Amino acid sequence: MMRKHPYQKLLDRKRTWSPVQTTAGELKHGAEETIYRALALRHLELPVGEFIEDALSEVPELSRDLLRSNVKDEENHDLALGYVAKALGVDPKSEAEALRLRAAWEAHPDHTICKALVAERAIFFVLLPFFRFSGDAGLRTVSADISRDEQIHVAANSLVCHELGFSPSQSLDKLRKATINWVLEPLGINTTDKYLDKKFWLDTSDRLMYEGKAPELSATKASRMPAFFEHNNVNLPQYA
């Protein structure tokens, strides 16, 4: 029997889900401003899809079906987070700053597949568990669904970058730091709750960037998954 290529294995792991309009619940006290900033970074979802789209002619042929599917996921993520933003409301100053950051990511000269990898691995992989520890039931569910997709995206982009010999530049790492620092700025040092501690999340981003893993997030595999009874039914996504 022929062994499946890693790209095909990743494609086989995917699961279809459809976002639904969530209802507003209670956010963790002390996390509210940071959640609004993190939500504003949903404006990076579609550019990340475009980064992948722009690279399709250069990537290994075996990866293209997987990457096209990942681009569709980004549209889904944008829609899902847009529903959350509609339920919770937005902070206009955060929205404006997120759009400025998006422009900086779009203008950065690194290869688009590299930019997608860094954004997903060291930004989104920090924000999603933050949502799961600090968000309301709707946001926790959305973050869990997006996280499953992002695991596959990061694995795919890592494989492609490895095959093509791409690695992020120091200036892209600086942009990553500026982005995550801005999101987490409202958090202080919190000695009683590490999930409200800015340094905990900044260190997580660094480890994901340089090591590709963050053992301190091992709890998120089973963390804060909302029970069905916590929800208004409209918060539950529809699975194919």
Side-chain angles (χ1 to χ4, degrees), residues 120-182:
E120 292 185 306
R121 186 164 85 184
I123 304 284
F124 295 172
F125 261 17
V126 177
L127 303 186
L128 291 165
F130 180 74
F131 285 151
R132 285 171 76 174
F133 286 117
S134 306
D136 62 1
L139 185 50
R140 295 203 304 272
T141 297
V142 165
S143 73
D145 283 317
I146 293 177
S147 293
R148 275 188 289 270
D149 291 343
E150 291 293 358
Q151 286 168 7
I152 292 167
H153 295 193
V154 169
N157 294 342
S158 300
L159 276 171
V160 172
C161 283
H162 180 72
E163 279 201 71
L164 298 179
F166 293 147
S167 57
S169 65
Q170 281 188 320
S171 68
L172 184 61
D173 191 27
K174 273 190 178 169
L175 179 56
R176 186 265 312 175
K177 284 182 174 172
T179 304
I180 202 69
N181 267 287
W182 169 73

Side-chain angles (χ1 to χ4, degrees), residues 45-56:
E45 292 283 353
L46 293 181
V48 165
E50 286 159 15
F51 293 160
I52 301 297
E53 192 91 55
D54 290 347
L56 282 176

